[in-house]
Amino acid sequence: MSRRDAILERAVEVASEEGLEGLTIGRLSSELGLSKSGLFGHFGSKEELQLAAVDAANVIFFDEVIKPTLKEPEGAPRLRAYCESWVGYLERKVFAGGCFFAAAAAEFDGRPGPVRDKLRDGQGLWLSEITKQAKLAGVKDPDQLVFEVSSLVQGANAAYQLFEDEQAFTRARQAIARLLPG
Amino acid sequence: MSRRDAILERAVEVASEEGLEGLTIGRLSSELGLSKSGLFGHFGSKEELQLAAVDAANVIFFDEVIKPTLKEPEGAPRLRAYCESWVGYLERKVFAGGCFFAAAAAEFDGRPGPVRDKLRDGQGLWLSEITKQAKLAGVKDPDQLVFEVSSLVQGANAAYQLFEDEQAFTRARQAIARLLPG
DNA sequence: CCTACCGATCGGTAGG
DNA sequence: CCTACCGATCGGTAGG
């Protein structure tokens, strides 16, 4: 693992807990025991550091959520696996501060620029992949189903983060089961 | 309207767009044309300003969402009115940056302290009021219903804020209609 | 990768 | 409510 990767590992953790704006160069460098300018040199600007952190979080999401489901056949089984894996990713607390993407989207949805664009594109890609599986599964209104599943997953994350409500994951699973075909 | 109220009106707007941490005393005072220490004197600390902004947002939420529904009889009609009013509040764009509470909760859910506590208590009160109406309406699992409705409303807010998807409000209404009794 | 520095801004205070 | 100030920290640069 390169030094850059080590920085990004810590950056993603900090950002999930305190936001992408809380990712200050001074704080991150002192936590990792290198100078500000040493860290800065790996990225060139704070915005580039934020973009790199989003890329690193996207890789983690792929490894933790998507990759383990790829053995399931496309259509209904894959759709079901995506949903279970997505809730499981929250339940396993992959990021210390809850879903990195929910936190980052809430923080940047009102700030136009490349960070917002990267977040939107990444989440858009994931939602369209679920939609594709819903279509293959013969769901009547795939966009509506994906809106509902996505809302329930986000809702479980928010309920757990604010109320420490562990039941939220079970509630999300129960609601999603009612929506899936079969 | 007192000067303090005028400050809070602007503070709530800024916080919905850029977060409660983006509410800097210097920025807010220059936007409102008074000195930093002049503004500071109304609150005493940044945290007190944030707490006052949450209180102000709670008042707006009550006036915009709850008050107009109080003419409906308790139980199923009130429950239905709460849901419609809650989605309508997003659709009407009461706050410039979307739901103040969703943004603030995402920002503070990882930061223990009085701001987080006030957000959690305010949202808890609202959720328990909806749950009460669901019980009166004879819903079998009121907590589950409220989890789902709340997720769908939050999901619509998030989808609109990140993707500018105006359809999200209709999708939330459609899903909620399937959950409500009658 | 480092030290040493820049101007700007932060939250907050003193004193009036 | 104001001016004037405090130490700390911000993102970023110069130079090695």
Side-chain angles (χ1 to χ4, degrees), chain B residues 3 34-35 37-38:
Chain B
R3 170 130 259 191
L34 77 169
S35 70
S37 69

Side-chain angles (χ1 to χ4, degrees), chain A residues 3 34-35 37-38 42:
Chain A
R3 171 130 257 192
L34 77 169
S35 69
S37 69
H42 285 284

Side-chain angles (χ1 to χ4, degrees), chain A residues 4-174:
Chain A
R4 192 173 186 275
D5 288 346
I7 294 168
L8 287 174
E9 189 174 302
R10 183 72 195 129
V12 164
E13 206 71 359
V14 169
S16 86
E17 292 174 298
E18 314 204 23
L20 279 166
E21 213 55 57
L23 257 193
T24 73
I25 291 164
R27 180 208 165 150
L28 202 56
S29 61
S30 80
E31 280 187 22
L32 292 164
L34 77 169
S35 69
K36 272 174 57 178
S37 69
L39 188 145
F40 190 85
H42 285 284
F43 303 97
S45 74
K46 183 174 185 180
E47 189 170 76
E48 288 296 331
L49 166 62
Q50 292 173 326
L51 289 167
V54 175
D55 279 330
N58 282 333
V59 169
I60 293 171
F61 189 83
F62 179 80
D63 288 344
E64 293 280 339
V65 179
I66 302 177
K67 205 160 139 193
T69 69
L70 295 180
K71 55 182 183 295
E72 296 293 333
E74 296 206 87
R78 179 74 68 82
L79 174 62
R80 187 171 293 274
Y82 280 168
C83 292
E84 172 50 36
S85 187
W86 201 4
V87 177
Y89 141 86
L90 296 178
E91 212 165 23
R92 288 198 309 278
K93 296 159 184 79
V94 168
F95 295 110
C99 182
F100 174 95
F101 306 98
E107 187 178 6
F108 274 81
D109 62 19
R111 309 185 197 185
V115 177
R116 189 198 134 124
D117 291 348
K118 190 182 277 287
L119 290 165
R120 194 198 49 221
D121 292 351
Q123 293 183 45
L125 205 64
W126 168 231
L127 295 179
S128 73
E129 171 58 26
I130 311 177
T131 307
K132 178 183 156 194
Q133 300 303 329
K135 278 181 190 148
L136 290 171
V139 168
K140 277 136 280 182
D141 190 344
D143 289 319
Q144 178 72 22
L145 177 113
V146 171
F147 169 79
E148 295 188 29
V149 167
S150 168
S151 295
L152 291 160
V153 174
Q154 286 178 251
N157 180 63
Y160 179 69
Q161 293 303 316
L162 191 58
F163 297 104
E164 289 109 55
D165 178 11
E166 287 273 3
Q167 265 200 73
F169 306 119
T170 307
R171 295 206 183 283
R173 280 201 180 85
Q174 187 180 318

Side-chain angles (χ1 to χ4, degrees), chain B:
Chain B
M1 190 167 77
S2 71
R3 170 130 259 191
R4 191 174 187 275
D5 288 344
I7 294 168
L8 287 173
E9 189 174 303
R10 183 72 195 128
V12 165
E13 206 70 359
V14 169
S16 86
E17 292 175 298
E18 315 204 21
L20 278 166
E21 213 54 57
L23 256 194
T24 72
I25 291 163
R27 179 205 166 152
L28 201 56
S29 60
S30 79
E31 279 188 21
L32 292 164
L34 77 169
S35 70
K36 271 175 56 178
S37 69
L39 188 145
F40 190 86
H42 285 284
F43 304 97
S45 73
K46 182 175 185 179
E47 190 170 76
E48 289 296 332
L49 166 62
Q50 291 173 327
L51 290 167
V54 175
D55 280 330
N58 281 335
V59 169
I60 293 171
F61 189 83
F62 180 80
D63 287 343
E64 292 279 340
V65 179
I66 302 176
K67 206 160 136 194
T69 70
L70 296 180
K71 56 184 184 293
E72 296 292 333
E74 297 206 86
R78 179 74 68 81
L79 174 62
R80 189 171 292 274
Y82 280 167
C83 292
E84 172 49 36
S85 186
W86 202 5
V87 177
Y89 140 87
L90 295 179
E91 213 165 19
R92 288 198 309 277
K93 294 158 185 78
V94 168
F95 295 109
C99 183
F100 175 95
F101 306 98
E107 188 178 4
F108 274 82
D109 62 20
R111 308 185 199 185
V115 177
R116 188 198 135 123
D117 292 347
K118 190 182 277 286
L119 290 165
R120 193 198 49 220
D121 293 350
Q123 292 182 47
L125 205 64
W126 168 230
L127 295 178
S128 73
E129 170 58 26
I130 310 177
T131 307
K132 178 184 155 196
Q133 300 303 328
K135 277 180 191 148
L136 290 171
V139 168
K140 277 136 278 180
D141 189 343
D143 289 320
Q144 177 72 20
L145 176 112
V146 171
F147 170 79
E148 295 188 30
V149 167
S150 168
S151 296
L152 292 160
V153 174
Q154 287 179 249
N157 180 62
Y160 179 69
Q161 292 303 316
L162 192 57
F163 297 106
E164 289 110 57
D165 178 10
E166 286 274 3
Q167 266 199 72
F169 306 119
T170 307
R171 295 203 182 286
R173 280 202 181 83
Q174 187 180 316
I176 290 168
R178 235 184 294 119
L179 299 171
L180 292 180

